[in-house]
């Protein structure tokens, strides 16, 4: 009985359902049991900002009120009790630890209890979106990479691909874009974005791709693998206005088209034409890479000729298969520009440029007689023409460039030092846009400012783009609207 009276006296206090005093309740009840004693804070060490969920990055000094508020929001069970006080406990700045002393009040068995405890925050490094775009090209944050390459000596097809990407907005999801030798690299933070770019390229140009992956990290406990994915996209190594020598199976597949053909256009298919009969044919990516072939003459290897005489071919006989209706067959007599004023004989050839050539015009052609072609298929040919005319050219390219009434948008690279030299390929691409209406349909052309216009008497009589095909200039910076004499580079922040 005495022991019972002494026990009641010890636990005596204000009446409560547990019949215990506050001190005994405090020893038996932990009001902070639903509050985690350890949490994670994400910190970007490049811009020195902290992540405030879900996707906001804020700048906070150590032991500041803003950082304390961010830490308290990370505790899930804190809203079920009353917060009395919170303060930082000093830690070493390089320890990657933040300690906060928290005082709370809560109810237990009808009594109000107050308790102090310490929460430890572990600082994890994570790059913010802005730093990802700046550092992604250095291999620090990207998860997927798309490498676009074409094995040619000029870049007209790559300029065309760049304009298609800009028109359809496929560069928006890229963290960074770098221009490399023979192509471009697109860096992404997600595999799905890279795959979307590859699917787009497969639908607009003849190409094939290969994939590879590299293991970055592996969590044994959760069995989670972290990979970096690379997509290598190879564009068919033929371009517009190139002369190709087709294998015999390809020639038979295209309705017995001549093995020496001209590439008239590159779209989702490769468009070919026989310059002596106007027969046309198309090859998709699968057909091309099944029987791959290369060009035997590039545009930079063409020779300049002058038209001395021309006669249209009236009687073409019965036509079988697909033929071009944009061109006219003609017999043309030409003379090399370097042989003007000499006694050299005129060279006869049959060409598809009868609708655009006149006596005195200049034309680019492939001089087969004096050419050295390293191609096994070409060596087996029994009959070859002396000259293959490719395209008409217009004199005074400088005046033509100054009188151009349109300009293009460009992607701009983050690193200017990695810019690849242009060597006039971009100006040739702009001339192709002026001369080919079908090529302009897939590209956005913008009006050029009047300060670049030239006088009417100085204008060159060359094809021009109509004003009805041009878009009004948008509110873009001058750097993002490159001049036609500048080289096309890449910028995600366009």
């Amino acid at each position: 009985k005495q022991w019972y009276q002494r026990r009641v006296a010890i636990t005596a206090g204000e009446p409560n359902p547990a019949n215990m005093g506050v001190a005994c309740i405090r020893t038996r009840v932990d009001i902070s049991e639903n509050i985690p004693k350890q949490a994670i804070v994400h910190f970007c060490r490049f811009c020195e900002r902290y992540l405030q969920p879900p996707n906001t990055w804020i700048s906070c000094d150590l032991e500041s009120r803003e950082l304390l508020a961010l830490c308290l929001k990370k505790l899930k069970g804190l809203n079920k009790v009353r917060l009395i006080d919170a303060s930082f406990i000093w830690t070493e700045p390089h320890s990657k630890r933040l300690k906060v002393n928290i005082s709370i009040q809560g109810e237990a068995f009808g009594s109000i209890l107050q308790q102090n405890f310490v929460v430890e925050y572990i600082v994890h490094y994570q790059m913010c979106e802005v730093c990802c775009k700046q550092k992604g090209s250095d291999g620090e944050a990207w998860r997927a990479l798309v490498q676009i390459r074409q094995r040619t000596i000029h870049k007209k097809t790559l300029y065309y691909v760049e304009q298609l990407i800009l028109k359809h907005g496929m560069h928006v999801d890229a963290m960074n874009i770098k221009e490399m030798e023979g192509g471009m690299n697109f860096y992404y933070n997600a595999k799905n974005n890279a795959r979307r770019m590859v699917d787009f390229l497969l639908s607009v140009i003849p190409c094939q791709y290969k994939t590879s992956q590299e293991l970055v990290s592996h969590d044994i406990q959760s069995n989670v693998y972290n990979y970096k994915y690379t997509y290598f996209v190879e564009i068919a190594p033929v371009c517009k206005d190139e002369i190709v020598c087709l294998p015999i199976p390809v020639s038979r597949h295209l309705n017995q088209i001549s093995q020496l053909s001209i590439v008239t256009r590159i779209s989702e298919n490769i468009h070919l034409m026989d310059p002596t009969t106007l027969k046309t044919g198309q090859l998709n990516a699968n057909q091309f890479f099944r029987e791959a072939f290369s060009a035997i003459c590039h545009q930079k290897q063409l020779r300049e000729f002058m038209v001395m005489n021309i006669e249209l071919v009236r009687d073409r006989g019965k036509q079988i298969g697909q033929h071009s209706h944009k061109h006219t067959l003609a017999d043309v007599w030409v003379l090399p520009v370097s042989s003007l004023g000499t006694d050299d004989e005129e060279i006869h050839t049959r060409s598809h440029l009868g609708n655009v050539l006149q006596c005195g015009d200049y034309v680019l052609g492939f001089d087969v007689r004096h050419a050295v072609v390293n191609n096994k298929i070409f060596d087996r040919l029994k009959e070859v023409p002396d000259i293959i005319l490719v395209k008409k050219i217009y004199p005074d390219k400088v005046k033509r460039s100054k009188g151009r009434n349109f300009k293009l948008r460009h992607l701009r690279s983050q690193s200017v030092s990695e810019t690849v030299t242009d060597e006039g390929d971009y100006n040739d691409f702009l001339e192709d846009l002026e001369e080919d209406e079908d090529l302009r349909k897939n590209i956005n052309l913008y009006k050029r400012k009047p300060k670049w216009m030239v006088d009417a008497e100085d204008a060159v009589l060359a094809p021009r783009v109509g004003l009805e095909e041009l878009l009004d200039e948008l509110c873009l910076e001058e750097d993002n609207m490159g001049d036609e004499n500048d080289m096309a580079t890449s910028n995600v922040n366009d």
Side-chain angles (χ1 to χ4, degrees), residues 20-118:
M20 290 187 298
V22 176
C24 295
I25 295 177
R26 186 178 294 112
T27 60
R28 288 168 172 79
V29 178
D30 184 10
I31 61 176
S32 65
E33 62 180 353
N34 294 326
I35 301 176
K37 304 303 186 293
Q38 196 174 55
I40 297 176
V41 175
H42 295 92
F43 175 73
C44 180
R45 54 181 173 176
F46 296 99
C47 60
E48 297 183 353
R49 295 188 299 173
Y50 292 89
L51 174 61
Q52 181 177 351
N55 54 7
T56 303
W57 293 84
I58 58 176
S59 299
C60 302
D61 296 330
L62 289 176
E63 300 187 4
S64 62
R65 296 180 59 184
E66 293 80 6
L67 183 57
L68 181 60
L70 186 146
C71 293
L72 294 178
K73 291 180 180 179
K74 300 285 291 186
L75 301 180
K76 296 182 179 180
L78 197 60
N79 57 350
K80 298 180 181 180
V81 295
R82 181 182 179 186
L83 179 63
I84 300 301
D85 188 19
S87 60
F88 281 103
I89 300 176
W90 186 86
T91 55
E92 291 287 346
H94 61 274
S95 64
K96 297 195 293 184
R97 296 292 188 275
L98 299 175
K99 292 185 178 181
V100 180
N101 185 17
I102 300 177
S103 298
I104 60 174
Q105 283 185 355
E107 184 178 356
F109 300 109
S111 300
I112 303 299
L113 302 181
Q114 182 170 332
Q115 184 178 346
N116 296 338
F117 61 96
V118 177

Side-chain angles (χ1 to χ4, degrees), residues 57 116 123 209 239 348 367 376 416 422 443 489 492:
W57 293 84
N116 296 338
V123 180
Y209 74 96
C239 298
H348 169 264
D367 193 351
K376 294 181 180 180
V416 181
D422 170 77
I443 295 178
T489 51
V492 180

Side-chain angles (χ1 to χ4, degrees), residues 388-437:
I388 301 177
L389 301 183
V390 178
K391 64 179 297 186
K392 178 182 177 180
I393 59 175
Y394 299 88
D396 204 341
K397 288 190 174 184
V398 177
K399 289 185 178 181
R400 183 179 180 182
S401 176
K402 290 183 178 180
R404 191 166 287 127
N405 61 346
F406 70 93
K407 54 185 175 181
L408 304 175
R409 289 181 61 188
H410 298 294
L411 303 167
R412 183 167 297 280
S413 176
Q414 298 290 344
S415 177
V416 181
S417 62
E418 297 170 353
T419 298
V420 185
T421 55
D422 170 77
E423 297 182 359
D425 295 336
Y426 183 51
N427 188 70
D428 293 338
F429 172 66
L430 295 179
E431 292 180 357
D432 290 342
L433 290 179
E434 292 177 331
E435 299 169 6
D436 191 349
E437 183 179 358

